[in-house]
Amino acid sequence: MEPTVELSSGRLSGSSEGPLSVFRGIPYVRPPIGPLRFGPPRPPEPWTGVRSATAFGPAAAQSAIDVTYVPGFSLWEGIGETSEDCLTVNVWTPGLTGRRPVLVWLHGGAFLKGAGSQALYDGATLARRGDVVVVTANYRLGAFGFLGLDDDRFAANAGVLDQVAVLEWVAEHASAFGGDPGNVTLMGESAGAVSVAALLTAPRAAGLFHRAVAQSGAGRRLPTAGQAAEMADRLLARLGLDRSRAGGLFALPTDKLLSAQVAVSVDVRRDDIGAGFQPWIDGGLLRSQAVDGLAAGCAAGLPFLAGTTEAEMNLWRVLEAGLRQLDEDGLAGRVQRLVGEAAGDLVAAYRAARPSAGPVELWAAIWSDREFRLPSLRATEAQAGHSGATFSYLFTWPSPAPGIGSCHGIELPFVFGTLDSKGADAFAGSGPAAEALATRAQDAWLAFARTGDPGWPRYDPSTRSTMVLGETCEVTEDPMPAERLAWDGLPTA
């Protein structure tokens, strides 16, 4: 007999998969289509009878651009069909009674791509191993979720409002799936981690989750309202509209909006205006940068686990063929564009810490720290001042693929226990050592979700205790200190 649950919107039928009950494609709000296209999420419409929840719903509308970082492997495996009718959640649970910890996952993808249905995020292993309820979710992406128009028809940060709606749905319905609404851990990687950090400081999300995990994204700065407005104006201009005719966006086909979004995103990178279609400081839902909000105590007392991989930007480095010819002058020019006149001192500090590294390796290290490691450390330091349950990790496991190393996203199949998903062995490796690290990572994340403690010393600015997770696992005080100190007073992403 297939498992069924009763929600406020109606009955659901899921599937029995070994010891788990799994429910896929559950609508947590109404479809954001028609007049709701750019508006805030609305409660789902009730249904009659028993609704089947055995198949993933469509992913959010996104461009079908796939980049092959590693032959035989796709970060986007499992996205499948896309649609603006995308706001669904998926649930893995060991039982429909009891009160288990709940893990809510927000996917990455630069706020332009991704879905809760991706193979890397299959919740089965975590649910079985930890006796927890795992929830993955879709939210609106790109211009559909983050259009900065000062117009009542367009919700500010609709994509973040979707994420809040997911948490509200979990608060209401976790118990129907055997979960504890009073023990919810919000987790995310990359754009998902940026979202977690933003929600830590958002008053509307207060009390909806009780622990937070930010993987490779905590502390990154969000665009200002002015930068978001410029993105919106560029999109309108690309579509032959202006603010007086912004209502025309409601009638445009999805593919036309996506094409314009891609073109504007390319222009923004070319013009280096430091923005994109992503969450922005709107003064209402999101009122401050994450680091500033955490430093002010917005999430005081809330357990926080954050970290990065050792070589984040290697994921993109392998795509830039010309980078292999980078010389000293090219390195100096790239770093100068990041930090201005401080470039010489920054390069010198990295060269002293890595005497055998050439220009390409030095650039990759500086780039990685600027984009991910230093923002995450600053967020961790800010929260450590208000929570004794703040923890740091550094993932150093190297990919078997040439030139990738411990790149962005390498920890995902270890944390989720999805090393056996399609092509993951080419990206993350396989064998006893990889399985042992997966067990170690899962046990730490699950312990944190259950108790607020992953099993190593808390992060304190005086010791900077960090769990290094790699071919060996050990607590290190202040890993890569010279590089960290070289960024004092300098801006990061």
Side-chain angles (χ1 to χ4, degrees), residues 61 86 171 178 189 215 223 269 292 378 387 395 415-416 481:
C86 62
E189 186 265 350
Q215 301 170 210
R269 285 195 294 273
D292 297 335
R378 290 176 181 179
S387 173
F395 212 89
V415 169
F416 276 89

Side-chain angles (χ1 to χ4, degrees), residues 8 26-32 39-44 87-89 104-106 135-140 157-174 184 186 199 202 204-206 208-209 285:
S8 59
I26 308 168
Y28 63 90
V29 291
R30 294 186 188 187
R42 304 295 186 191
L87 299 183
T88 59
V89 294
V104 178
W105 177 256
L106 300 178
V135 179
T136 67
N138 295 342
Y139 54 92
R140 279 173 283 182
N157 283 307
V160 179
L161 289 172
D162 294 342
Q163 296 167 351
V164 173
V166 170
L167 293 168
E168 291 172 339
W169 184 90
V170 168
E172 181 179 359
H173 296 298
V184 175
L186 182 63
L199 289 166
R204 184 161 172 181
L208 293 175
F209 60 101
L285 178 66

Side-chain angles (χ1 to χ4, degrees), residues 244-264:
S244 67
R245 295 178 293 151
L249 292 173
F250 285 89
L252 289 174
T254 304
D255 58 354
K256 189 169 184 178
L257 269 167
L258 287 172
S259 295
Q261 173 185 293
V262 169
V264 170

Side-chain angles (χ1 to χ4, degrees), residues 73-92:
F73 170 77
S74 172
L75 277 172
W76 315 116
E77 184 71 30
I79 285 180
E81 178 189 358
T82 64
S83 170
E84 290 187 56
D85 182 359
C86 62
L87 299 183
T88 59
V89 294
N90 316 295
V91 180
W92 290 259

